[in-house]
Amino acid sequence: MNDRLLTVYAPPVEEEITPGSDLSAILINALRRNRIDLKDGDILVVASKVVSKAEGRLRTVADRAEFEELVEQTGTHLVAERSYRSGTTVQVVRTPAGTVQAAAGLDQSNSGGAVILHPLDSDRSADGLRRRVEQAFEVRIGLVISDTSSRPWRVGVGDIAIGLSGFSGLDDQRGRPDDDGRVQTVTVRAVADEIAAAADLVKGSSRGLPMALVRGAGGYLDNGQRGARALSRDLGEDWFRHGHVEAIQRGLGVTDLPGSAPAGDNSDDILERVSRAIRVVRAGQSRTPGHAAWRMRIEGSGSRITLSPSDSPATAQSGGPPLLEAMVGLGSLVERLHTALFAEDLSASTRYHWVDGELGAFPRGVTIDIGLIVP
């Protein structure tokens, strides 16, 4: 059982932590210097930044482009990418630890100009720190390595657990009755993240407070062996494995879009959005022939797209009659444009231009009128 009172305290750490520092000894000295008598059930929360520094997880980059390249190399799965007028690009990626974070959790603050990566194995690092502290104080504790992260649909940041030792990070309520006696079927509490967030209120590695002691949550201590990785959903179970723009682009066969990413503050004008939609349509791999028979042109300031026959004669791409392939290609292009425009929060209405021929009427082109989708 846990206490009904939770206390959180951040003892000052005076030593500078650099690559090769004995972090366990530094934390133990800080606890003793502040006359903290650890008890069974206490939980220590340590900022990932100082763990990474002690482990030498630092990299040097010359400019923002190299930083973004390092993010791409560090991440395992791109979720979303946005650009800003300052020239910076922010990627939200899945990290090797399974967390989904902006810039893969890479940090440049209070690092002397270097980039701080996550610990190579945060759960292993947490386990090593916990064992050393337990030996020094002859107690049984839990230890969390925390990092700051944003949250979908919520403004602001908070700390989450990226490394864990000594207790399970999840409190599974399924199968237990609630206060009304109804058996719970969904609730699994992320207690390690809640403890990390509580500790974040008092600690701060930039203020010489990279560690916090949480007392009153000892009821969660057990022999959990899965670590913080258990708090990250498997990729196949993640409903939001891509941003909405990236999901549409991948559905259209685009994995590496040329040009700039969408603006992070939604400030792109209609011309930029329409131009990007056309780049998506052109860059993607279509399963339909006949695209080459048509050219796409933007009119005005992006308020209209016209599709008209290409200057070069239509040629067969899949062994069919060139004219029929061109008709199939036109319909495919229109549908791909509607889809790509939707990703840019743009509506589209289509008007076909018909002409008479030997086989009857056939489309000679298309006009697509553009408008904003207002949420």
Side-chain angles (χ1 to χ4, degrees):
M1 294 290 294
N2 290 303
D3 298 337
R4 295 178 60 188
L5 173 65
L6 190 74
T7 59
V8 187
Y9 172 63
V13 176
E14 298 177 359
E15 295 87 345
E16 181 181 0
I17 299 170
T18 59
S21 294
D22 187 342
L23 182 59
S24 298
I26 291 174
L27 299 182
I28 291 168
N29 290 338
L31 292 167
R32 286 175 170 163
R33 185 168 52 247
N34 288 276
R35 299 181 179 179
I36 295 176
D37 185 21
L38 285 187
K39 299 179 180 180
D40 287 337
D42 285 347
I43 297 175
L44 292 181
V45 181
V46 182
S48 64
K49 178 181 296 184
V50 296
V51 179
S52 295
K53 282 184 176 181
E55 294 180 354
R57 296 282 290 164
L58 306 177
R59 298 292 184 273
T60 301
V61 295
D63 50 31
R64 181 68 191 190
E66 286 193 8
F67 176 81
E68 292 169 5
E69 184 178 347
L70 183 59
V71 171
E72 187 174 344
Q73 295 171 354
T74 303
T76 61
H77 169 79
L78 176 65
V79 176
E81 182 179 62
R82 299 292 182 268
S83 63
Y84 291 86
R85 295 193 180 278
S86 62
T88 62
T89 298
V90 175
Q91 293 181 328
V92 178
V93 302
R94 191 179 183 93
T95 71
T99 59
V100 176
Q101 296 178 258
L106 272 60
D107 194 350
Q108 288 183 287
S109 61
N110 302 302
S111 62
V115 178
I116 304 177
L117 282 65
H118 276 175
L120 191 61
D121 186 336
S122 296
D123 286 331
R124 177 179 292 182
S125 299
D127 198 52
L129 290 171
R130 177 185 62 83
R131 293 178 185 276
R132 286 280 302 277
V133 174
E134 284 184 335
Q135 291 173 359
F137 289 90
E138 298 183 345
V139 291
R140 181 169 173 265
I141 66 169
L143 193 137
V144 174
I145 294 176
S146 68
D147 192 28
T148 302
S149 180
S150 57
R151 302 153 300 162
W153 303 325
R154 300 287 287 180
V155 176
V157 297
D159 268 23
I160 62 173
I162 67 168
L164 182 62
S165 180
F167 68 105
S168 297
L170 298 171
D171 179 22
D172 194 344
Q173 299 285 314
R174 292 173 297 181
R176 303 179 191 176
D178 62 14
D179 290 343
D180 294 327
R182 183 179 61 88
V183 175
Q184 300 178 77
T185 59
V186 176
T187 303
V188 180
R189 298 173 60 225
V191 293
D193 284 346
E194 292 177 326
I195 291 170
D200 184 47
L201 294 174
V202 297
K203 71 178 182 62
S205 55
S206 63
R207 307 192 305 271
L209 303 171
M211 169 180 60
L213 166 64
V214 178
R215 180 165 291 170
Y220 294 117
L221 265 63
D222 60 19
N223 294 319
Q225 299 295 321
R226 297 183 62 193
R229 186 173 294 275
L231 281 82
S232 296
R233 292 186 186 275
D234 292 335
L235 189 60
E237 297 178 355
D238 187 355
W239 292 357
F240 311 103
R241 65 180 69 103
H242 291 295
H244 77 284
V245 174
E246 289 73 17
I248 289 175
Q249 291 177 357
R250 279 154 182 75
L252 293 174
V254 178
T255 56
D256 188 12
L257 179 65
S260 61
D265 57 2
N266 204 34
S267 62
D268 287 337
D269 58 24
I270 291 182
L271 179 59
E272 174 59 29
R273 298 183 191 192
V274 171
S275 300
R276 185 164 47 242
I278 289 179
R279 292 202 304 272
V280 169
V281 170
R282 286 174 170 163
Q285 297 297 318
S286 173
R287 296 180 291 273
T288 306
H291 286 193
W294 305 94
R295 64 181 178 182
M296 294 177 283
R297 184 174 69 252
I298 301 174
E299 295 183 356
S301 298
S303 60
R304 175 173 291 178
I305 301 174
T306 59
L307 282 76
S308 56
S310 174
D311 293 333
S312 57
T315 58
Q317 292 179 272
S318 62
L323 180 59
L324 291 182
E325 284 195 8
M327 297 302 100
V328 172
L330 179 61
S332 171
L333 280 172
V334 169
E335 291 306 309
R336 288 174 64 84
L337 274 169
H338 274 263
T339 304
L341 290 168
F342 178 78
E344 299 290 343
D345 291 329
L346 296 175
S347 65
S349 59
T350 303
R351 184 171 71 255
Y352 281 84
H353 306 296
W354 299 91
V355 297
D356 292 328
E358 295 180 2
L359 302 178
F362 64 90
R364 184 63 178 170
V366 166
T367 299
I368 299 178
D369 291 313
I370 309 299
L372 279 172
I373 296 176
V374 180

